[in-house]
Amino acid sequence: AQGIRFIDGVELAEMFPDDWQHRWWRLDSALAADTPQVDPYVEQPFETFVEIQFKGLGFDTTAWCFALEGSTLIGLSGFSINPDIPTQWGVDFTGVLGSHRRRGLARALKGVGAQKARARGATSIWTHNEEKNPMLQLNLSLGFKVTHTSSFYEGPVPGRPNDA
């Protein structure tokens, strides 16, 4: 209704055969730079992104959803599939450019991905959030439950040689 199209990674490659991976990387980099994180953001070189993203365990180009306005990528939501238990899918990353937020696009992207997961036999979907990331509230509103927390220790590791 807002002139936004939702496509998957295969459609992205078909629409932009010469630079679909670069478009994906540029969007991912822009979104990651604007995401609350424990450690400061450091942009991955394109080659590293390709190695990690497209060759990672559970990666499936069809399990990624993109929001497209005209020919501009404005959001994404990516799912991975547990290769040992293909009924378990995980949301790797969801984000929308700041210029397009508060329009329901992240919710729509997650919904498109969840429908695809269900159609392909998924019985559970997991995700993870940094506690200060607004995406946590969206995930809770979609029915995700907090099942555990993580703790991060910052500082020297006790008992290591050469510790003062």
Side-chain angles (χ1 to χ4, degrees), residues 3-127:
I4 308 295
R5 291 182 45 208
F6 296 97
I7 62 173
D8 67 21
V10 172
E11 293 169 296
L12 178 67
E14 290 170 353
M15 290 177 72
F16 307 103
D18 297 330
D19 70 341
W20 68 277
Q21 290 180 325
H22 276 95
R23 286 173 180 261
W24 190 330
W25 170 66
R26 285 191 298 271
L27 176 62
D28 188 89
S29 296
L31 296 173
D34 194 28
T35 300
Q37 301 178 42
V38 173
D39 296 317
Y41 172 72
V42 176
E43 184 175 291
Q44 290 180 334
F46 173 72
E47 295 75 18
T48 303
F49 175 79
V50 168
E51 186 68 28
I52 292 171
Q53 182 70 26
F54 302 120
K55 297 177 183 172
L57 189 63
F59 175 76
D60 181 336
T61 308
T62 65
W64 282 78
C65 307
F66 297 89
L68 190 68
E69 184 176 57
S71 63
T72 303
L73 292 175
I74 58 171
L76 62 77
S77 186
F79 290 70
S80 60
I81 304 164
N82 183 333
D84 296 324
I85 309 170
T87 58
Q88 293 181 356
W89 285 43
V91 182
D92 291 331
F93 186 43
T94 300
V96 175
L97 293 176
S99 58
H100 290 75
R101 289 191 187 135
R102 307 288 176 238
R103 293 168 48 184
L105 294 173
R107 179 179 295 276
L109 283 161
K110 283 185 179 253
V112 169
Q115 287 174 344
K116 186 173 293 224
R118 185 176 31 243
R120 291 185 47 193
T123 57
S124 66
I125 299 173
W126 57 266
T127 191

